[in-house]
Amino acid sequence: APEGRVGSGKMAAAAGGAASAAPVCVLVLGMAGSGKTTFVQRLAAHLHGQRCPPYVINLDPAVHNLPFPANIGECCALRDGIRYGLGPNGGIVTSLNLFATRFDQVMKFIEKRQNASKYVLIDTPGQIEVFTWSASGTIITEALASSFPSVVVYVMDTSRSTNPITFMSNMLYACSILYKTKLPFIVVMNKTDIIDHSFAVEWMQDFETFQDALNQETSYVSNLTRSMSLVLDEFYSSLKVVGVSAVLGTGLDEFFIQLSKAVDEYEREYRPEYERLRKTLEEAQEKQKREQLEHLWKDMGSVCVQGSTLAGPDDASAMGPSELILTRGTLNEEEEERESDTDDIDHEVTEESHEEPAFRNFMQDMWMKCQRKSNPNE
């Protein structure tokens, strides 16, 4: 047993990916009852046994008691949502949306732990459409994928997919998630302790075998399934499939091998695209900042030109906008003498004289801020 554990530990460590020191984010999705939470529990226990503790995040607000220790876990917000009249699904969606607004803090936590954890395991709600098709799910997925190697794991209930029509429905949903997330994809055929997954693999690899199974179905849906099976041939050819038992822990070594391949696929095909998108976004933000700064310069220049009469027409023609800002409201010698001769501040003080120093200080502050923005290296 110790030798087996050492071998598994080497395999798990290899799955971390030598090409990237960043932790691998494993997004676990699947239909309700497919065994997502049990699979995450088994993964976490396996990695802890190999002295490679993962960073675990639970995104399901409906869970009351987690069967695994989570570093970040949604509180049971479902009862609060129902209390406010949102309903079960509304409570989950609202809780996930609120979580997405604070996900920048989660990213910081992951970055701090990247030297201690090679894997980030993320359990998602049982209502798969809540995460897959919601704006919050997209925000979370893209935030992770833009910073860390990320892999989507679709957990499938093998025991409920013995019917070819049900199997095809599962594959269609997996295909839609693959094209929605645009990330490396692994199908985990769970519950192999109940029934072996070899029949499903054979259906994916041999079209004739799947057609023979469909011939036993007489419903009108079988005709649609037969047509869709032709479409999914290309999808099957590049799909990574693993049979596991989350209860017994079998198949995890093969899972980590496929996970390592998926990380290599991310580094090779997906990371360059995310880097390109990030660069495009940064350029757009920088362009927006420059445009805002140009508008600010124009506004400040117009204000200075309007107030240049205080320095006289000759001086205004020789000074630029920046000098006009710094000299606006400066008193000439006669005014200084008149101000110095009186001790009563009420004498000859108008409303404009009270406003001038404040305005001058304000414009000087604005000028210094613009200088700092235009010279970010200083």
Side-chain angles (χ1 to χ4, degrees):
E3 293 180 0
R5 290 187 61 182
V6 171
S8 300
K10 292 180 179 179
M11 194 171 300
S20 175
V24 179
C25 295
V26 182
L27 280 160
V28 182
L29 286 76
M31 299 289 186
S34 61
K36 297 186 303 299
T37 301
T38 308
F39 179 67
V40 172
Q41 177 190 15
R42 178 58 64 178
L43 282 180
H46 180 80
L47 291 172
H48 275 287
Q50 309 306 323
R51 296 181 179 180
C52 181
Y55 195 81
V56 185
I57 301 175
N58 171 53
L59 295 181
D60 190 356
V63 64
H64 287 267
N65 297 308
L66 281 174
F68 52 82
N71 298 90
I72 300 177
E74 282 267 24
C75 61
C76 185
L78 184 60
R79 290 170 295 181
D80 296 336
I82 295 175
R83 186 185 308 163
Y84 291 105
L86 296 175
N89 287 337
I92 294 174
V93 171
T94 302
S95 179
L96 200 60
N97 289 342
L98 293 174
F99 190 86
T101 60
R102 308 290 294 275
F103 202 73
D104 57 328
Q105 298 182 14
V106 177
M107 298 289 289
K108 293 179 181 178
F109 293 148
I110 296 175
E111 291 175 357
K112 291 179 180 178
R113 287 293 302 273
Q114 64 181 0
N115 294 328
S117 300
K118 293 183 179 180
Y119 301 94
V120 179
L121 307 180
I122 303 169
D123 191 16
T124 58
Q127 289 77 0
I128 186 173
E129 69 280 356
V130 171
F131 184 85
T132 306
W133 303 107
S134 66
S136 55
T138 302
I139 291 172
I140 292 173
T141 303
E142 291 183 353
L144 290 171
S146 62
S147 301
F148 308 103
S150 301
V151 179
V152 174
V153 175
Y154 181 77
V155 180
M156 172 180 163
D157 189 344
T158 310
S159 62
R160 295 183 182 179
S161 301
T162 55
N163 183 287
I165 296 177
T166 307
F167 172 80
M168 178 58 63
S169 301
N170 248 319
M171 289 296 101
L172 287 174
Y173 212 103
C175 182
S176 65
I177 295 175
L178 169 64
Y179 287 105
K180 178 68 168 59
T181 57
K182 298 181 178 65
L183 286 172
F185 200 82
I186 301 176
V187 174
V188 171
M189 294 186 176
N190 193 20
K191 303 184 181 180
T192 56
D193 53 308
I194 299 176
I195 184 172
D196 190 75
H197 70 293
S198 57
F199 75 93
V201 176
E202 187 177 8
W203 283 353
M204 296 170 64
Q205 295 177 350
D206 191 343
F207 175 77
E208 297 298 333
T209 303
F210 184 72
Q211 294 300 313
D212 293 340
L214 274 177
N215 291 334
Q216 301 176 7
E217 298 290 334
T218 58
S219 63
Y220 72 95
V221 184
S222 61
N223 295 327
L224 175 63
T225 304
R226 187 174 290 105
S227 301
M228 295 303 300
S229 62
L230 293 171
V231 178
L232 292 181
D233 274 345
E234 185 178 354
F235 172 66
Y236 291 152
S237 62
S238 58
L239 191 64
K240 299 177 180 63
V241 180
V242 182
V244 303
S245 172
V247 175
L248 301 179
T250 57
L252 293 184
D253 291 344
E254 178 64 23
F255 170 77
F256 279 108
I257 292 176
Q258 296 297 330
L259 182 61
S260 177
K261 294 180 180 178
V263 172
D264 293 339
E265 180 183 353
Y266 171 88
E267 297 289 348
R268 182 178 63 256
E269 300 180 10
Y270 293 89
R271 181 182 288 277
E273 179 65 17
Y274 277 102
E275 292 292 341
R276 185 187 65 81
L277 293 175
R278 179 188 296 180
K279 184 177 180 180
T280 303
L281 179 60
E282 290 176 353
E283 291 177 352
Q285 292 176 345
E286 185 64 26
K287 180 180 179 181
Q288 183 180 9
K289 290 180 180 179
R290 288 198 302 265
E291 292 177 352
Q292 292 177 350
L293 186 59
E294 290 176 0
H295 287 307
L296 181 60
W297 274 104
K298 292 179 181 179
D299 294 341
M300 293 178 63
S302 62
V303 170
C304 295
V305 170
Q306 292 175 2
S308 61
T309 55
L310 292 175
D314 296 334
D315 296 336
S317 61
M319 292 188 295
S322 60
E323 298 177 18
L324 289 172
I325 294 172
L326 298 178
T327 58
R328 177 173 171 81
T330 304
L331 300 177
N332 55 32
E333 296 181 356
E334 295 181 358
E335 290 174 338
E336 289 178 354
E337 292 178 359
R338 186 167 62 251
E339 291 292 333
S340 62
D341 290 340
T342 177
D343 295 330
D344 189 356
I345 60 173
D346 292 332
H347 293 171
E348 301 181 9
V349 176
T350 63
E351 183 179 357
E352 182 179 2
S353 64
H354 280 296
E355 294 179 351
E356 282 300 328
F359 179 83
R360 183 172 65 255
N361 294 335
F362 168 76
M363 294 304 295
Q364 289 176 349
D365 292 340
M366 289 294 295
W367 166 248
M368 296 301 297
K369 290 180 180 179
C370 290
Q371 286 290 90
R372 287 194 295 270
K373 287 184 178 180
S374 61
N375 296 283
N377 296 326
E378 294 183 1

